[in-house]
Amino acid sequence: MLTDSMLFQIVRHTPTWVFAVFLLLAWRGARQLLTREVGLAGITVLPLAMTGFALYGVASAFGQSQAGLLALAAWAAAAAASGFWMQARPLPAGTQYDPALRAFLMPGSPWPLLRMMGIFLTKYVVGVTLVLHPGLAHDGAFALGVSALYGLFSGLFAGGTLRLWRLAVRTDRAVSPA
């Protein structure tokens, strides 16, 4: 069980750059609480970056252990399942695509912030856990669960982006002469 003293020591020994990443993600996520205009690159870059961050989490935690391949397979399976689920869901009401501007009008939503914080907090908690219990890096069940969680977040980002790209392609086809 963690005591207040242990929590203080964990935070005290956390590198400063970790707090900077947290603030950047919180800022980016908070911006998505408001209705905004986002270009095609904008809807693609953030999910790619967050998926990269999640994969980095899997690789840094389990890449050097025998659980590494199991971890990667768990990430891929969870990412595929949650991505498939997310891309099949309807877009949020009010989402629009302007082909002339090649930009989306996106209603505000807390979900991107929650997904970003989910990946960040998973990475942080797993990092602390592995410092306190390094043997868990070789535990297949731990690797499976953590990697599946990373995959869940990655798939939700990817599926959401696919929904938006499909809207853009559909709209472009509708306004383009055949």
Side-chain angles (χ1 to χ4, degrees):
M1 176 169 228
L2 288 177
T3 65
D4 289 346
S5 175
M6 287 176 72
L7 287 173
F8 177 75
Q9 290 298 319
I10 289 167
V11 172
R12 189 169 147 243
H13 287 94
T14 298
T16 305
W17 65 266
V18 173
F19 297 108
V21 169
F22 174 80
L23 289 173
L24 174 67
L25 293 175
W27 172 72
R28 289 291 309 231
R31 287 180 52 203
Q32 296 189 39
L33 293 169
L34 305 172
T35 298
R36 68 213 178 278
E37 190 175 288
V38 185
L40 287 169
I43 65 150
T44 305
V45 170
L46 181 63
L48 284 175
M50 293 310 298
T51 297
F53 192 44
L55 269 173
Y56 171 70
V58 172
S60 64
F62 310 112
Q64 301 300 316
S65 75
Q66 290 182 342
L69 287 178
L70 176 65
L72 188 57
W75 174 86
S82 63
F84 179 78
W85 177 82
M86 181 63 134
Q87 64 84 31
R89 299 191 43 79
L91 284 165
T95 303
Q96 300 171 13
Y97 176 70
D98 185 333
L101 297 175
R102 301 201 45 84
F104 296 88
L105 180 64
M106 305 280 298
S109 172
W111 295 114
L113 172 62
L114 292 172
R115 288 190 298 262
M116 284 186 257
M117 291 295 106
I119 290 174
F120 176 86
L121 292 173
T122 300
K123 174 85 175 91
Y124 186 78
V125 169
V126 168
V128 169
T129 300
L130 290 177
V131 165
L132 297 174
H133 307 284
L136 286 175
H138 304 284
D139 182 313
F142 183 73
L144 183 75
V146 167
S147 299
L149 184 58
Y150 278 130
L152 170 79
F153 291 124
S154 298
L156 293 175
F157 268 114
T161 300
L162 283 173
R163 289 187 311 184
L164 292 168
W165 271 98
R166 278 201 325 262
L167 173 62
V169 168
R170 234 182 6 251
T171 305
D172 283 342
R173 284 184 185 153
V175 298
S176 297

